[in-house]
Amino acid sequence: LQSLYLLNFIFEVEARKLATQETLFIIDDVADSFDYKNKHAIVQYLEDLSKIDYFYQIILTHNFDFFRTLSNNFVHRDRCLMSNRNSSTITLTKAEGIKNYFIGKWKNNIANNDYILCATIPFTRNLIEYTKSEDDPDYLKLTSLLHWKNDTDQITVGNYFDIYNRLFGTSYNTSNTQLVKDLLFTKATEICARITYNGLNLEDKVLLSIAIRMQAEIFLINELRTLKGEPNYWCQSMSQFGNLIKEYSTLATTSPSIRILEKISITVSSNIHLNSFMYEPILDLTIEHLVNLYNEVCSLHSSTTIANTNA
């Protein structure tokens, strides 16, 4: 059906071209069901149309990869807009970070924007993983900022800046003694208290994703300490969050919390591995959904959730 629609469209375009008919084309997700080879052919065709003086285009898409391809080819970035929907309005704002969000917005702003500071943690950790190893001390310390480990509550903002400086050759002040975990939860609470959200919100979405999983792991580990009768229990699995959910589901089979925890597992874990492949999915995820999820996981800490134990 999509191919038939596209052929129909091309036929109509060619007819209007022959008639030199001034036309505004409104094109909505024209490449969604095609593979990359055909997507690039469609982009080329749209670029050819843009060179015809009496043709005009408004191109709509939910696909960020397609959006980025258009901006990198023939649509000037000043004309690349993103829609933001709030409770009562829809606004259009100039797109940011189309080419390289980390370098364009994050890299030089971690010292003056706490949301960006927290959001850079998984990216920094990924780079250490790629350039060094998973056994590197800096990698392990950053892992303790993305999971609740036995040293998480000792890692300060200054400690993070120290790692960041070594990796990027920067010279940020390492004397800040605020705990990263406390900063993370403070900023997550501030995001949840906002009335409106503007722009891509990428740093806010990454921050919330980290905070949601961290809150979930704190809940799970404390619950498992009670269920297992081991007050000093820490998870030793390489796949910590998934293993914690598995253990908890086995020991508290009818707990109503399991549904929330499974929703967290499906929604946020991939957002915390911030590479080019995960960039698009986190943009498609609404920040309102993450806000609701953060509020849900925080509510677990104040409720009695162990409905059944198999001790």
Side-chain angles (χ1 to χ4, degrees):
L1 187 61
Q2 184 81 348
S3 298
L4 184 60
Y5 165 78
L6 190 58
L7 286 171
N8 238 1
F9 171 74
I10 293 172
F11 179 85
E12 183 67 28
V13 168
E14 294 305 313
R16 290 169 182 260
K17 191 187 296 183
L18 289 172
T20 62
Q21 182 177 349
E22 190 172 36
T23 305
L24 170 63
F25 296 104
I26 300 177
I27 300 162
D28 187 9
D29 271 329
V30 68
D32 250 16
S33 62
F34 294 98
D35 59 25
Y36 275 97
K37 179 181 177 181
N38 287 317
K39 278 185 181 180
H40 290 137
I42 291 168
V43 170
Q44 184 61 59
Y45 186 68
L46 296 178
E47 182 174 2
D48 291 342
L49 293 186
S50 72
K51 297 173 183 176
I52 299 173
D53 290 340
Y54 47 86
F55 282 173
Y56 309 92
Q57 300 177 68
I58 296 176
I59 304 172
L60 310 173
T61 183
H62 290 91
N63 187 311
F64 186 77
D65 181 61
F66 186 63
F67 179 87
R68 183 163 46 188
T69 300
L70 292 173
S71 71
N72 288 335
N73 282 271
F74 70 95
V75 181
H76 194 280
R77 289 182 188 175
D78 287 341
R79 297 184 178 182
C80 292
L81 306 175
M82 288 189 170
S83 63
N84 295 284
R85 182 179 63 186
N86 295 315
S87 57
S88 58
T89 62
I90 296 176
T91 59
L92 292 175
T93 57
K94 184 179 175 181
E96 54 186 2
I98 298 173
K99 186 174 182 181
N100 191 322
Y101 203 90
F102 180 79
I103 291 176
K105 188 172 182 182
W106 286 2
K107 185 179 178 183
N108 297 318
N109 288 302
I110 67 166
N112 52 44
N113 187 311
D114 289 334
Y115 303 99
I116 289 176
L117 186 156
C118 293
T120 58
I121 293 170
F123 195 86
T124 303
R125 177 175 173 264
N126 280 155
L127 289 177
I128 293 172
E129 178 186 10
Y130 299 151
T131 58
K132 297 179 183 178
S133 73
E134 293 184 3
D135 297 323
D136 185 86
D138 288 343
Y139 178 89
L140 295 173
K141 184 164 285 189
L142 294 183
T143 298
S144 295
L145 295 180
L146 301 178
H147 294 279
W148 196 43
K149 301 283 190 180
N150 59 357
D151 61 339
T152 299
D153 292 348
Q154 286 81 50
I155 302 174
T156 67
V157 172
N159 295 148
Y160 177 58
F161 280 155
D162 188 40
I163 295 171
Y164 195 91
N165 287 340
R166 279 198 296 276
L167 181 63
F168 293 105
T170 50
S171 54
Y172 292 114
N173 190 335
T174 60
S175 63
N176 190 328
T177 59
Q178 183 178 17
L179 295 179
V180 175
K181 190 190 79 170
D182 292 348
L183 178 66
L184 176 71
F185 290 159
T186 297
K187 294 304 163 183
T189 301
E190 289 178 6
I191 293 170
C192 293
R194 293 178 193 162
I195 298 173
T196 60
Y197 304 97
N198 298 309
L200 284 180
N201 301 119
L202 185 59
E203 53 269 15
D204 296 346
K205 290 178 182 179
V206 175
L207 186 154
L208 278 176
S209 297
I210 299 169
I212 288 166
R213 192 173 71 179
M214 181 80 76
Q215 289 282 19
E217 289 190 353
I218 291 171
F219 166 79
L220 282 165
I221 288 172
N222 283 327
E223 292 286 276
L224 286 169
R225 285 173 176 173
T226 300
L227 289 165
K228 289 170 166 285
E230 299 178 20
N232 297 317
Y233 166 79
W234 289 102
C235 181
Q236 302 301 322
S237 171
M238 293 291 289
S239 302
Q240 177 162 306
F241 187 47
N243 191 71
L244 287 171
I245 292 178
K246 184 177 180 180
E247 278 197 272
Y248 182 70
S249 299
T250 301
L251 295 173
T253 55
T254 60
S255 169
S257 304
I258 293 173
R259 177 63 179 163
I260 296 173
L261 295 166
E262 288 176 341
K263 187 162 53 172
I264 291 169
S265 179
I266 293 169
T267 303
V268 308
S269 291
S270 61
N271 298 342
I272 303 171
H273 298 278
L274 194 65
N275 54 49
S276 59
F277 299 104
M278 297 316 304
Y279 190 61
E280 182 183 335
I282 196 172
L283 289 176
D284 290 339
L285 183 66
T286 66
I287 195 166
E288 288 84 0
H289 181 68
L290 291 171
V291 166
N292 292 336
L293 206 50
Y294 186 74
N295 289 329
E296 283 186 88
V297 73
C298 286
S299 71
L300 295 181
H301 294 279
S302 58
S303 62
T304 303
T305 59
I306 302 175
N308 179 49
T309 64
N310 296 325

